[in-house]
Amino acid sequence: MLTYITRRLFLIPLTLFGILFVNFIFVQLAPGGPVEQVLARLDGISTDATARFSGSSSGAAEKAAVPSKNMRSGTARYRGAQGLDADFIADLEKQFGFDKPAHERFFIMLCNYAQFDLGTSFFKDRKVVDLVLEKLPVSMSLGIWSTLIIYMLSIPLGIAKANKDGSRFDVVTSWVVVVGYAVPGFLFAILLIVLFAGGSYLDLFPLKGIVSNNWHELSFFSKITDYFWHMTLPVTAMVISGFAGLTMLTKNSFLEEINKQYVITARSKGLNERRVLYNHVFRNAMLIVIAGFPATLVNMLFTGSVLIEVIFSLDGLGLLGFEAVMNRDYPIMFGTLFAFGLLGLLLNLISDITYHMIDPRIDFEKRDT
């Protein structure tokens, strides 16, 4: 197994290179860019997707957005550049690094990423690493709690549905699962706000932030209570939208194992149903459920939380990535892509190791050879 782990670790840089290379090409082909964003601001067009979080823009973008005193001749290279001095446009390109060809910019980016230098945001004038570390606690809180609760609910429910397949309990819970499948999480989030966050009915939970403004002044236990008070609604919205798939996966996995010959043999030996289920079926049936853990966690961390963060005013990684795409802030886009890709690959490796720990018969090293 050690050889397999070493081989997978060596493959991570190559996989990250492929992810960054493909996305870099698509970004070069996509219309718009940071230069166009600055030119749009010069024309008085707001391009900030989430101005209420970032406040007044500072740093590179605002410095670049000051018009030159000499804007006589224009250039047709960029939309909105008519009437601006060509030297001003050239200064913008140099400031954002577009005075270099694409392949050179990609090589410089790879060299920096090899040293875990993710660059500096175009429009926030801050290091991407600092931004990621600042937003990470919010997304980690949402992702970890929602993933844990989803597994704590879905696995027992899936097992119960498998044991009572076709019963009234199975039918009723299947309707709940169908609703979880059909209705997206952000709609549940809006419903929760209307019902419990000062909408049309009750005002029991806060609507903004992960903690209260006076959190640092609270006692230790009050801080914990305040944190969970703020996390209740967003985590609930993510759990409702995420538990359905895992519940059905668990049920189908257990049904498949229950009908196999070794289970019939165990029952014929006089073993009670509980022992058959948890001593024989559980280990085999849980393999496919465990395999989906990295994808579930990554989805909760970086994909499923975007709209939830916006709706509940949570300034996390999902919102940061969305804002970067809207504003064409390439250092944040590629920096977060690199971080997410690395984390996803490591989680997949951990999943394989867990596979082997649960069932030593599964040897990825022998399978590869």
Side-chain angles (χ1 to χ4, degrees):
M1 192 66 181
L2 183 60
T3 304
Y4 172 77
I5 295 173
T6 304
R7 187 185 307 122
R8 286 286 299 273
L9 289 174
F10 277 114
L11 284 174
I12 286 178
L14 183 61
T15 307
L16 286 174
F17 171 83
I19 293 172
L20 292 172
F21 179 72
V22 171
N23 283 274
F24 188 85
I25 292 177
F26 280 116
V27 166
Q28 304 310 306
L29 298 175
V35 175
E36 285 85 347
Q37 295 291 312
V38 173
L39 296 177
R41 294 182 183 188
L42 286 176
D43 288 335
I45 302 173
S46 176
T47 58
D48 193 349
T50 52
R52 61 195 178 99
F53 290 110
S54 48
S56 59
S57 300
S58 61
E62 281 202 348
K63 293 174 184 176
V66 178
S68 171
K69 294 181 180 179
N70 185 18
M71 296 183 179
R72 295 182 300 272
S73 61
T75 175
R77 183 173 180 181
Y78 298 102
R79 179 180 300 178
Q82 292 79 7
L84 298 182
D85 188 68
D87 293 336
F88 175 70
I89 302 298
D91 289 341
L92 282 181
E93 291 180 332
K94 183 176 181 180
Q95 185 170 334
F96 292 124
F98 290 99
D99 57 327
K100 302 179 179 66
H103 68 276
E104 186 175 341
R105 285 186 278 122
F106 182 68
F107 179 74
I108 293 173
M109 183 180 71
L110 290 181
C111 292
N112 291 335
Y113 284 5
Q115 306 172 57
F116 290 94
D117 178 7
L118 304 184
T120 302
S121 168
F122 286 159
F123 298 100
K124 294 180 180 290
D125 199 27
R126 293 182 58 190
K127 290 187 175 297
V128 175
V129 171
D130 294 338
L131 287 170
V132 170
L133 293 178
E134 179 184 307
K135 314 294 184 183
L136 188 61
V138 175
S139 295
M140 289 293 290
S141 294
L142 286 174
I144 292 176
W145 284 118
S146 57
T147 302
L148 289 177
I149 295 174
I150 285 172
Y151 268 75
M152 289 171 61
L153 291 176
S154 299
I155 292 177
L157 181 59
I159 295 174
K161 286 176 65 64
N163 282 333
K164 301 178 181 180
D165 184 41
S167 66
R168 178 175 297 181
F169 171 81
D170 183 40
V171 173
V172 172
T173 54
S174 292
W175 279 105
V176 177
V177 170
V178 168
V179 173
Y181 263 126
V183 182
F186 72 89
L187 287 182
F188 276 117
I190 295 173
L191 177 62
L192 291 173
I193 290 173
V194 171
L195 294 177
F196 303 111
S200 302
Y201 298 93
L202 302 176
D203 188 7
L204 300 178
F205 296 95
L207 187 56
K208 182 178 181 181
I210 194 172
V211 292
S212 299
N213 294 330
N214 64 335
W215 187 78
H216 295 287
E217 303 172 3
L218 301 176
S219 64
F220 176 74
F221 290 105
S222 296
K223 287 181 178 179
I224 296 176
T225 303
D226 183 76
Y227 167 76
F228 283 109
W229 182 46
H230 281 76
M231 293 298 297
T232 299
L233 293 188
V235 170
T236 300
M238 295 181 68
V239 168
I240 291 174
S241 63
F243 86 100
L246 185 61
T247 298
M248 295 308 299
L249 178 66
T250 304
K251 175 189 174 181
N252 294 333
S253 179
F254 270 79
L255 282 178
E256 182 180 355
E257 293 296 325
I258 287 173
N259 294 323
K260 288 186 176 179
Q261 184 63 42
Y262 75 91
V263 176
I264 298 174
T265 303
R267 286 170 174 167
S268 66
K269 291 180 179 179
L271 298 178
N272 61 60
E273 195 66 23
R274 184 178 182 86
R275 187 173 179 183
V276 170
L277 181 63
Y278 290 101
N279 288 12
H280 294 77
V281 176
F282 186 83
R283 185 176 66 177
N284 295 326
M286 285 301 296
L287 289 175
I288 190 171
V289 178
I290 292 172
F293 183 83
T296 303
L297 180 57
V298 171
N299 180 66
M300 291 293 118
L301 282 173
F302 311 124
T303 306
S305 64
V306 175
L307 289 175
I308 300 298
E309 289 180 13
V310 173
I311 292 172
F312 289 99
S313 301
L314 302 175
D315 196 6
L317 286 176
L319 184 62
L320 178 68
F322 173 75
E323 184 181 10
V325 171
M326 297 300 295
N327 293 334
R328 302 298 193 271
D329 200 334
Y330 293 158
I332 294 181
M333 288 173 58
F334 286 107
T336 52
L337 179 66
F338 173 80
F340 298 167
L342 178 61
L343 180 60
L345 292 170
L346 290 176
L347 285 174
N348 276 305
L349 177 57
I350 292 173
S351 175
D352 288 347
I353 296 173
T354 309
Y355 251 136
H356 181 72
M357 291 174 61
I358 293 177
D359 191 349
R361 295 173 299 175
I362 298 177
D363 194 333
F364 293 98
E365 186 175 331
K366 292 181 178 179
R367 187 190 66 179
D368 288 346
T369 56

